[in-house]
């Protein structure tokens, strides 16, 4: 079995190789690492490989899937939970095996959401810089006590639930909206309608998948239904948020704070060092000008524990494919 790993950063290589050495050496075959992302222009690199291994910003639309199939690729291993970047119907028509990592340390993402909230609320990023420059003034650093505030969780699945537990532990009132409410969530929060959640929450945190139904779930209308001055946190997928509408809401002061780990056009930016480049994305650059906006580059998953689990499960998916047995993580 030969696998081409796309969007491979040094940490992907390290954790995949460690997992291979631990358990899967015999089954996993050979890995070749490409640092480029997969798209129509790079699909040719998959020539001679049985499987490819991809991440969130690799593009697996119909032309790319057809090109991979024509090159002899038969399996697609996603190193992530979300599969909004794969045209699943076309993959099925082509008979491609597609498997994902449905769950890996949901707490890793939940804890990152908390880090974003705490940073933005207490301005620790600005305090860090100030103190290093010998400025010990507190003006501009005023936060709110989170204990007693209301946090709305949209999507109370694995990560939403982990986030709800954290905020419940901090003494917040936790509200949740999910078309499939769970008993586990009811133990730490209350399920309400989306409208009620938006109207009552001081912090709204997004944890639902990106689907045609959830695309631009946060838009002009939903932003107007939020409490004035509320904080919006998105650690799920950029496409859940209409960024232009969010910028207008920030300018009108309707939205008080924005913390995002994902961005709709992130594939042109994230996971690359562009520090010496001119960034062409004017919408992103406008976001960067707000003092009440905090952006991280899709690092919610980025803990050693999560990367270990991702590698283990990915290699397990590859083993199921090569053994021709049922794979519980198959998509479609
Ligand atoms: P999950 O499948 O356990 O939970 C998602 C929940 O969203 C489900 O309970 C589902 O019923 C609910 N949902 C579906 N449609 C909805 C809607 N219209 N409104 C409200 N809720 C809706 O998934 P999990 O593991 O909690 O992951 C959630 C998302 O987090 C993933 O889809 C992925 O996009 C994102 N993610 C981000 C990472 C990062 O590094 N920032 C890492 C891992 C996942």
């Amino acid at each position: 079995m030969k696998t081409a790993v796309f969007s491979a950063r040094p940490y992907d290589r390290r954790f995949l190789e460690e997992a291979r050495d631990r358990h899967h050496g015999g089954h996993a075959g050979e890995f070749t690492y490409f640092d480029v992302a997969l798209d129509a222009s790079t699909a040719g690199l998959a020539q001679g490989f049985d499987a490819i291994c991809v991440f969130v910003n690799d593009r697996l639309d119909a032309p790319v899937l057809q090109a991979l199939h024509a090159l002899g690729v038969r399996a697609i291993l996603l190193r992530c939970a979300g599969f909004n970047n794969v045209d699943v119907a076309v993959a099925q028509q082509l008979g491609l095996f597609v498997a994902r990592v449905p769950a890996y340390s949901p707490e890793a993402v939940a804890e990152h959401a908390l880090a974003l909230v705490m940073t933005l609320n207490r301005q620790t990023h600005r305090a860090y810089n100030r103190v290093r420059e010998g400025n010990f003034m507190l003006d501009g650093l005023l936060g709110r006590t989170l204990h007693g505030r209301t946090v709305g969780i949209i999507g109370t699945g694995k990560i939403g639930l982990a986030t709800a537990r954290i905020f419940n532990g901090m003494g917040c009132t936790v509200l949740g909206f999910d078309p499939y409410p769970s008993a586990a969530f009811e133990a730490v929060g209350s399920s309400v309608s989306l409208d009620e959640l938006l109207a009552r929450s001081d912090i709204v945190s997004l944890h639902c998948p990106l689907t045609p139904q959830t695309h631009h779930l946060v838009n002009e209308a939903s932003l107007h239904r939020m409490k004035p001055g509320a904080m919006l946190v998105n650690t799920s997928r950029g496409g859940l948020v209409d960024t232009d509408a969010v910028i207008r809401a920030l300018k009108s002061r309707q939205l008080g704070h924005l913390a995002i780990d994902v961005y709709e056009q992130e594939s042109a930016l994230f996971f690359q060092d562009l520090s010496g480049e001119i960034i062409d994305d004017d919408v992103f650059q406008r976001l960067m000008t707000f003092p009440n906006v905090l952006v991280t580059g899709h690092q919610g998953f980025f803990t050693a524990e999560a990367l270990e689990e991702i590698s283990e499960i990915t290699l397990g998916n590859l083993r199921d494919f090569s053994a021709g047995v049922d794979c519980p993580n198959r998509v479609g």
Side-chain angles (χ1 to χ4, degrees), residues 87-111:
D87 190 328
V88 177
V90 171
Q92 269 179 331
Q93 279 160 24
L94 294 168
L96 291 167
F97 171 96
V98 182
R100 66 183 180 126
V101 183
Y104 52 91
S105 187
E107 291 79 12
V109 184
E111 288 170 14

Side-chain angles (χ1 to χ4, degrees), residues 55-56 80-84 100-106 108-109 112 153-162 177-182 194 206-211 213-215 217 234-238 240 261-262 266 271 297-302 310:
F55 196 48
V56 288
C80 52
F83 51 91
N84 51 285
R100 66 183 180 126
V101 183
Y104 52 91
S105 187
V109 184
H112 190 66
I153 309 280
I154 300 184
T156 58
K158 291 177 284 295
I159 297 172
L161 176 62
F177 168 71
D178 193 307
Y180 305 97
S182 75
L194 181 58
L206 305 179
H207 300 287
C208 56
L210 177 61
T211 63
Q213 292 74 41
T214 60
H215 181 252
L217 178 90
N234 187 7
T235 56
S236 191
R237 283 291 180 269
L240 296 175
D261 185 47
V262 289
E266 70 179 49
F271 309 119
H298 208 136
Q299 70 176 85
F301 71 100
F302 201 56
I310 290 172

Side-chain angles (χ1 to χ4, degrees), residues 41-102:
S41 69
T42 58
L45 291 168
Q47 171 97 51
F49 290 93
D50 309 292
I52 59 156
C53 181
V54 294
F55 196 48
V56 288
N57 290 326
D58 291 300
R59 201 187 179 95
L60 294 116
D61 56 13
V64 171
L65 291 171
Q66 279 148 3
L68 292 172
H69 185 262
L71 292 169
V73 172
R74 292 294 173 262
I76 293 166
L77 307 164
L78 299 162
R79 305 195 290 283
C80 52
F83 51 91
N84 51 285
N85 53 337
V86 184
D87 190 328
V88 177
V90 171
Q92 269 179 331
Q93 279 160 24
L94 294 168
L96 291 167
F97 171 96
V98 182
R100 66 183 180 126
V101 183

Side-chain angles (χ1 to χ4, degrees), residues 3-281:
T3 303
V5 184
F6 283 87
S7 299
R9 311 300 313 155
Y11 46 82
D12 294 308
R13 190 188 190 112
R14 176 187 145 197
F15 283 93
L16 280 169
E17 292 298 321
E18 283 178 6
R20 227 165 67 100
D21 292 347
R22 257 197 314 275
H23 303 295
H24 303 276
H27 309 284
E30 208 178 286
F31 285 104
T32 302
Y33 297 90
F34 296 111
D35 60 358
V36 290
L38 174 67
D39 61 18
S41 69
T42 58
L45 291 168
Q47 171 97 51
F49 290 93
D50 309 292
I52 59 156
C53 181
V54 294
F55 196 48
V56 288
N57 290 326
D58 291 300
R59 201 187 179 95
L60 294 116
D61 56 13
V64 171
L65 291 171
Q66 279 148 3
L68 292 172
H69 185 262
L71 292 169
V73 172
R74 292 294 173 262
I76 293 166
L77 307 164
L78 299 162
R79 305 195 290 283
C80 52
F83 51 91
N84 51 285
N85 53 337
V86 184
D87 190 328
V88 177
V90 171
Q92 269 179 331
Q93 279 160 24
L94 294 168
L96 291 167
F97 171 96
V98 182
R100 66 183 180 126
V101 183
Y104 52 91
S105 187
E107 291 79 12
V109 184
E111 288 170 14
H112 190 66
L114 174 70
L116 293 176
V117 171
M118 295 301 277
T119 305
L120 205 44
N121 179 41
R122 301 303 291 268
Q123 308 276 324
T124 47
H125 56 311
R126 298 176 72 199
Y128 173 85
N129 287 327
R130 265 193 206 184
V131 169
R132 287 176 78 92
E133 289 189 2
N135 177 357
F136 302 98
M137 296 285 283
L138 299 182
D139 306 59
L141 302 183
L142 189 66
R144 304 290 303 259
T145 302
L146 289 182
H147 183 98
R149 301 190 62 83
T150 300
V151 179
I153 309 280
I154 300 184
T156 58
K158 291 177 284 295
I159 297 172
L161 176 62
T163 309
R165 285 185 174 135
I166 290 173
F167 284 109
N168 175 254
M170 291 176 68
C172 298
T173 298
V174 179
L175 304 177
F177 168 71
D178 193 307
Y180 305 97
S182 75
F185 176 76
E186 293 299 328
V188 286
S190 313
S191 290
V192 294
S193 69
L194 181 58
D195 274 354
E196 185 177 345
L197 182 148
L198 294 174
R200 286 179 54 197
S201 299
D202 301 298
I203 297 169
V204 173
S205 194
L206 305 179
H207 300 287
C208 56
L210 177 61
T211 63
Q213 292 74 41
T214 60
H215 181 252
H216 286 189
L217 178 90
V218 175
N219 53 35
E220 197 93 47
S222 43
L223 285 160
H224 274 291
R225 295 206 293 275
M226 284 173 70
K227 239 177 157 171
M231 181 189 293
L232 175 66
V233 185
N234 187 7
T235 56
S236 191
R237 283 291 180 269
L240 296 175
V241 171
D242 176 348
T243 313
D244 290 324
V246 157
I247 288 174
R248 285 193 292 276
L250 285 163
K251 284 171 77 176
S252 71
R253 278 62 167 177
Q254 164 67 9
L255 187 62
H257 294 93
L258 172 73
I260 56 174
D261 185 47
V262 289
Y263 167 61
E264 191 161 18
Q265 309 303 332
E266 70 179 49
S267 59
L269 302 171
F270 288 6
F271 309 119
Q272 304 168 66
D273 179 2
L274 302 178
S275 51
E277 309 285 324
I278 290 168
I279 292 179
D280 289 325
D281 185 333

